Amino acid sequence: LTDKPTSLGLPPVEIYRNDTTSTIVKSNLTHWQILKKYIFTNLNMWILAISGIFVYFSFGFILDWSTLFMVSRGISKSKAAYLLSLLPFVGCFGGITGGILIDKFFKGRAVPVIVIFLFGLFISFVGIYKFTTSTTAWWIIGFFLSLAGFFSDGPQILGSMVASNLVPTESVGAGCGFVGLFHYIGTFLSGICIALIIEKWDWYGGFIIASLSCLVAMLSTALIWNKEKTKI
């Protein structure tokens, strides 16, 4: 199947539409050449991909393990399930807010928003661990879980946007797929590694590792703070 206009001798869409704001790449590279030139040898893409491992590790921890954590702290299973539902619900607003911040304040750059959100996720982990007890008011626990949902959704969604800003237009799909692979690795590790950590060091160890993952993701993402070349 043909994959782009230039494969049939047509001009790139950007030239045809006279879209001067887009990154125009005049080449007829094969898929393998695109991967080698713009993905595998792109240090910024590797930094983003590794950061994605820690982002999804942290998110997987709070999504998959917070119910068991609440039950271990004396909260009923039904209330724990109810509180957990706040994560995806509030997370929707986090994703929308992240997009607004990018458009209104950062001129299309997603990295600053990801760094801010990861710091917020770190704070929410501290709050969840400290305030989740059987005697704590449900709305306090719900508040910190909502914070976790709000601040975790943005980094997941925006990672692909950063990938598209780090590579030329013709390799955006390959870039998003590349970082997406590492996202799945992070999710996988959050399941098997957290289980082993909790078994050996209890919930304290689990939250320490998840919190450190937030900080590592935040610092590694900050390394590409000025590397994005926005297409807007």
Side-chain angles (χ1 to χ4, degrees):
L1 298 175
T2 54
D3 58 350
K4 51 191 173 184
T6 52
S7 299
L8 297 177
L10 299 171
V13 175
E14 296 88 351
I15 294 178
Y16 179 77
R17 298 182 61 181
N18 194 28
D19 184 2
T20 58
T21 62
S22 298
T23 302
I24 301 174
V25 178
K26 298 178 181 179
S27 68
N28 290 303
L29 299 176
T30 65
H31 294 300
W32 178 243
Q33 289 172 330
I34 288 174
L35 287 173
K36 288 193 298 182
K37 183 174 182 179
Y38 299 125
I39 308 299
F40 295 151
T41 59
N42 188 335
L43 177 61
N44 295 325
M45 286 296 294
W46 282 101
I47 293 174
L48 178 64
I50 293 173
S51 174
I53 293 178
F54 292 99
V55 168
Y56 273 74
F57 184 92
S58 300
F59 176 71
F61 168 75
I62 198 63
L63 183 65
D64 296 338
W65 295 95
S66 56
T67 303
L68 287 176
F69 171 68
M70 286 186 280
V71 171
S72 71
R73 289 291 182 94
I75 298 172
S76 67
K77 293 180 180 179
S78 58
K79 183 180 289 187
Y82 166 74
L83 291 170
L84 182 64
S85 66
L86 292 171
L87 264 78
F89 176 73
V90 180
C92 295
F93 298 99
I96 294 172
T97 302
I100 293 174
L101 291 175
I102 289 171
D103 292 338
K104 297 297 183 181
F105 298 102
F106 295 103
K107 299 179 180 180
R109 294 172 58 237
V111 167
V113 177
I114 293 177
V115 172
I116 293 169
F117 273 43
L118 286 172
F119 181 74
L121 184 59
F122 170 78
I123 296 299
S124 70
F125 280 172
V126 175
I128 290 170
Y129 182 79
K130 182 171 182 171
F131 293 103
T132 301
T133 66
S134 58
T135 58
T136 304
W138 70 269
W139 62 268
I140 296 178
I141 302 172
F143 171 75
F144 285 105
L145 284 170
S146 297
L147 283 184
F150 184 90
F151 287 117
S152 64
D153 208 48
Q156 296 176 78
I157 298 172
L158 301 177
S160 295
M161 182 177 178
V162 176
S164 69
N165 287 336
L166 291 175
V167 296
T169 303
E170 66 176 347
S171 55
V172 165
C176 292
F178 179 73
V179 297
L181 170 65
F182 286 81
H183 292 168
Y184 281 108
I185 293 174
T187 303
F188 166 76
L189 292 176
S190 72
I192 187 169
C193 292
I194 291 296
L196 296 174
I197 291 169
I198 293 175
E199 185 176 26
K200 187 170 184 178
W201 290 296
D202 203 35
W203 290 107
Y204 177 78
F207 273 89
I208 287 293
I209 295 300
S211 299
L212 288 176
S213 293
C214 284
L215 295 179
V216 171
M218 181 178 68
L219 294 174
S220 58
T221 304
L223 292 175
I224 55 175
W225 185 279
N226 295 317
K227 302 300 182 180
E228 284 184 281
K229 297 179 180 180
T230 61
K231 300 175 177 61
I232 62 174

